[in-house]
């Protein structure tokens, strides 16, 4: 495994080097949190694809393929559909707002007072997303170096925290581009064809597996509907995704770059399902479907290629982990801490970079500690997405689509939807489908009823909102160009 180890170590060292390089570019709040809002189409597409395709999409996607066959692609497929919907229908308007967080958008649309409560819900979501991504290091480093769970989490988590803290979104953008290339080569160009060939080709796979493995709806209609509700709609409103939209150089970049990234996700979804199906032919009696990825990589790939594909899995986990971490820290600092201290409106200066850097470090340490203590990844991720969709989907989309929505309606929607989801999870069980179904309906009912029962949003607030949606002036100071020698 010496060659494989060398590939992995070079990759990890490269991530830290990118973090150092990014630090030299992050000179303002805008540079640190949203890469100066100046990413072009190629870099925007690569980094957007990198953040949405994490360990769950790679290791979990192959596991679903192992368990259900081609219909196992639906989870990642719905992520791609969500990204396409966001890019085509909403990303241009989101990019023109020139805000840093989803809660800032809610305050701008409704005239304030929605930020802290919505920020707490978004913070809980991004925290659990970062935690679940960090836990995935245990699986990968166990295959690579036979490390115990705690050491693996600390090692992987520390590298992500280090480069994220150094350069913020610039470091994460640079590392995500490398991770996107590594994932494309490792999973699509190497593992996919090798797995199919090792399994004897599609003809042999069809001969050895039940016909349900090749039924596009084999995973079940209710499961597909739940994936759409949680992942497709979750893509529309997550801070981790919106923060990438904010990095686009223009609304055209956000629209077309995101469309390319969403299309890439659809191809990645099918690839993972095919790899998992091939693994089922090769290893029909694995203890857990999630072992399929590591097993086929460890046993079927040649030296060097194995290291690159494992680096691809590591890249998938790191891209999601770093994106969730900076989103968590941004929300904690800008939407909760600053607002509680009453300093959200202070002017941007270099001290804000230091403050956001400190929050990434603190949140990163918290994420690593929580990941070590937590065992059930699926339950944690389910709680995160249920809270996100049940509590924030209605007021966010309502604000973008319905003029009559009010701040009172938005607050009622967040509170009623969030409490309904929590209560229903306690009653039905965390992994049940009912909490997000009924929680979303409760949130919608509260939003409509309270908005219609209260005074319409002040016309001055709506005029400012429309001006910003049209690309008008914002309160953000323009970022200084980085000199060529930096």
């Amino acid at each position: 495994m010496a060659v494989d180890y060398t590939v992995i170590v070079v990759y990890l060292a490269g991530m830290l080097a990118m973090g150092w390089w990014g630090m030299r570019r992050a000179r303002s709040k805008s540079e640190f949190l949203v890469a100066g809002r100046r990413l072009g189409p190629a870099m925007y597409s690569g980094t957007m694809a990198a953040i949405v395709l994490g360990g769950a999409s790679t290791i979990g996607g192959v596991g679903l393929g192992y368990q259900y066959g081609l219909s196992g692609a639906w989870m990642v497929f719905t992520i791609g559909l969500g990204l396409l919907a966001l890019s085509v229908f909403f990303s241009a308007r989101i990019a023109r707002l020139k805000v840093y967080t989803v809660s800032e958008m809610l305050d701008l649309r409704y005239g304030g007072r929605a930020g802290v409560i919505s920020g707490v819900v978004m913070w809980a979501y991004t925290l659990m997303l970062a935690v679940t991504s960090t836990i995935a290091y245990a699986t990968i480093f166990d295959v690579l170096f036979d490390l115990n769970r705690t050491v693996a989490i600390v090692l992987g988590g520390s590298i992500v925290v280090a480069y994220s803290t150094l350069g913020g979104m610039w470091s994460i953008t640079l590392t995500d581009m490398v991770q996107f290339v590594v994932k494309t080569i490792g999973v699509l160009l190497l593992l996919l064809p090798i797995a199919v060939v090792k399994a004897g080709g599609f003809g042999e796979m069809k001969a050895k597996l039940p016909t349900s493995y090749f039924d596009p709806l084999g995973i079940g209609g209710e499961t597909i509907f739940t994936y759409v509700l949680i992942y497709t709609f979750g893509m529309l409103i997550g801070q981790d995704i919106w923060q990438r939209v904010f990095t686009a150089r223009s609304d055209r970049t956000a629209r077309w770059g995101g469309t390319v990234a969403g299309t890439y996700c659809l191809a990645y979804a099918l690839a993972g399902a095919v790899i998992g199906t091939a693994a089922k032919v090769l290893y029909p009696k694995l203890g857990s479907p999630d072992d399929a990825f590591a097993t086929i990589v460890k046993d079927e790939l040649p030296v060097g290629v194995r290291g690159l594909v494992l680096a691809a899995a590591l890249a998938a986990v790191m891209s999601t982990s770093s994106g969730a971490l900076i989103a968590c820290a941004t929300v904690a600092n800008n939407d909760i801490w600053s607002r509680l201290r009453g300093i959200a409106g202070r002017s941007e200066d270099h001290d804000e970079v230091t403050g956001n850097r400190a929050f990434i470090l603190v949140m990163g340490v918290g994420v690593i500690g929580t990941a070590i203590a937590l065992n059930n990844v699926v339950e944690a991720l389910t709680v995160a997405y249920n809270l996100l969709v049940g509590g924030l989907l209605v007021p966010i989309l309502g604000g973008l689509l319905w003029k009559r929505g009010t701040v009172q309606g938005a607050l009622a929607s967040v509170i009623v939807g969030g409490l309904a989801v929590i209560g229903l999870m306690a009653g039905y069980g965390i992994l049940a489908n009912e909490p997000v179904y009924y929680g979303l309906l409760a949130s919608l009912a509260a939003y409509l009823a309270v908005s219609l029962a209260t005074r319409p949003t002040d016309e001055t607030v709506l005029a400012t909102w429309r001006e910003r949606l049209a690309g008008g002036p914002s309160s953000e100071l323009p970022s200084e160009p980085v000199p060529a020698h930096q």
Side-chain angles (χ1 to χ4, degrees), residues 49-50 53 180-181 183-185 188 259-269:
L53 297 174
F180 171 73
V181 172
K183 275 193 288 192
T184 301
I185 295 173
L188 296 183
T259 301
V260 171
T263 305
Y264 178 90
C265 291
L266 303 183
Y268 200 89

Side-chain angles (χ1 to χ4, degrees), residues 142-438:
D142 177 56
V143 174
L144 285 171
F145 305 117
D146 197 25
L147 295 176
N148 71 49
R149 182 178 183 275
T150 299
V151 174
I153 289 172
V154 171
L155 176 59
S158 296
I159 292 171
V160 169
V161 171
Y163 72 68
S164 300
T165 302
L166 284 173
M169 187 59 82
W170 265 123
S171 294
I172 293 171
T173 297
L174 295 170
T175 55
D176 275 1
M177 276 307 298
V178 175
Q179 289 159 355
F180 171 73
V181 172
V182 171
K183 275 193 288 192
T184 301
I185 295 173
V187 175
L188 296 183
L189 301 184
L190 293 176
L191 183 57
L192 174 61
I194 290 174
V196 172
V197 169
K198 291 283 187 178
F202 285 103
E204 188 70 13
M205 289 161 64
K206 286 186 176 181
K208 290 187 175 180
L209 294 174
T211 55
S212 62
Y213 267 70
F214 302 91
D215 179 359
L217 303 178
I219 199 170
E222 185 178 356
T223 299
I224 294 171
F225 178 74
T226 303
Y227 283 159
V228 170
L229 200 60
I230 292 177
Y231 296 115
T232 301
F233 284 112
M235 286 295 107
L236 298 180
I237 58 175
Q239 169 68 24
D240 52 324
I241 310 302
W242 276 42
Q243 200 156 344
R244 294 309 174 99
V245 176
F246 300 153
T247 66
R249 184 168 61 200
S250 65
D251 53 5
R252 181 180 174 85
T253 295
R255 183 185 295 114
W256 292 108
T259 301
V260 171
T263 305
Y264 178 90
C265 291
L266 303 183
Y268 200 89
L270 184 59
V274 171
I275 292 167
T277 304
K280 184 66 175 179
V281 173
L282 296 168
Y283 312 99
K285 298 186 182 300
L286 288 178
S288 167
D290 285 342
D291 293 336
F293 180 88
T295 302
I296 196 169
V297 169
K298 194 173 183 179
D299 293 349
E300 302 297 336
L301 299 186
V303 173
V305 173
R306 179 171 50 202
L308 183 59
V309 173
L310 286 171
L314 202 54
V317 175
M318 284 186 161
S319 56
T320 300
S321 180
S322 59
L325 176 58
I326 193 171
C328 179
T330 302
V331 170
N333 188 17
N334 291 267
D335 291 339
I336 302 175
W337 180 248
S338 292
R339 292 167 189 262
L340 292 176
R341 293 183 61 198
I343 58 172
R346 67 181 181 181
S347 61
E348 180 178 319
D349 53 34
H350 290 295
D351 289 339
E352 294 219 20
V353 174
T354 302
N356 281 291
R357 184 173 281 138
F359 263 84
I360 291 179
L361 181 59
V362 171
M363 290 296 109
V365 172
V367 164
I368 292 171
T370 307
I372 292 171
L374 199 64
N375 288 319
N376 197 315
V377 179
V378 176
E379 288 191 358
L381 197 59
T382 301
V383 169
Y385 271 100
N386 282 353
L387 280 172
L388 177 70
V389 174
L392 291 179
L393 178 66
V394 170
I396 292 172
L397 293 189
L400 289 169
L401 300 173
W402 191 42
K403 177 183 176 181
R404 186 62 180 80
T406 66
V407 65
Q408 294 87 351
L411 287 171
S413 179
V414 174
I415 295 169
V416 170
L419 291 177
V421 164
I422 293 170
L424 290 165
M425 283 191 293
Y428 284 99
I430 289 177
L431 298 180
N433 293 326
E434 288 84 357
V436 71
Y437 295 167
Y438 299 141

Side-chain angles (χ1 to χ4, degrees), residues 451-468:
S451 290
L452 292 173
T454 52
R455 295 180 60 182
T457 304
D458 187 272
E459 188 56 40
T460 304
V461 173
L462 290 177
T464 302
W465 167 255
R466 288 191 292 267
E467 182 182 22
R468 291 282 285 275

Side-chain angles (χ1 to χ4, degrees), residues 23-112:
M23 183 178 68
R24 300 173 64 84
R25 305 195 68 172
R27 303 295 188 184
S28 68
K29 179 181 178 181
S30 176
E31 296 283 354
F32 191 82
L33 293 182
V34 290
R37 306 188 194 274
R38 54 188 185 185
L39 297 190
M43 187 167 281
Y44 178 86
S45 298
T47 57
M48 183 61 88
I51 188 177
V52 300
L53 297 174
S57 300
T58 304
I59 298 170
V62 171
L64 287 171
Y66 182 89
Q67 190 172 2
Y68 297 105
L70 298 186
S71 66
W74 272 107
M75 184 187 79
V76 184
F77 201 83
T78 55
I79 291 173
L81 291 178
L83 186 52
L84 285 171
L86 174 71
S87 301
V88 172
F89 298 113
F90 300 108
S91 63
R93 282 183 283 178
I94 292 170
R96 287 196 293 265
L97 290 174
K98 296 293 188 292
V99 294
Y100 290 106
T101 67
V102 174
S103 295
E104 287 182 27
M105 167 265 168
L106 291 174
D107 276 354
L108 183 65
R109 164 61 181 82
Y110 294 111

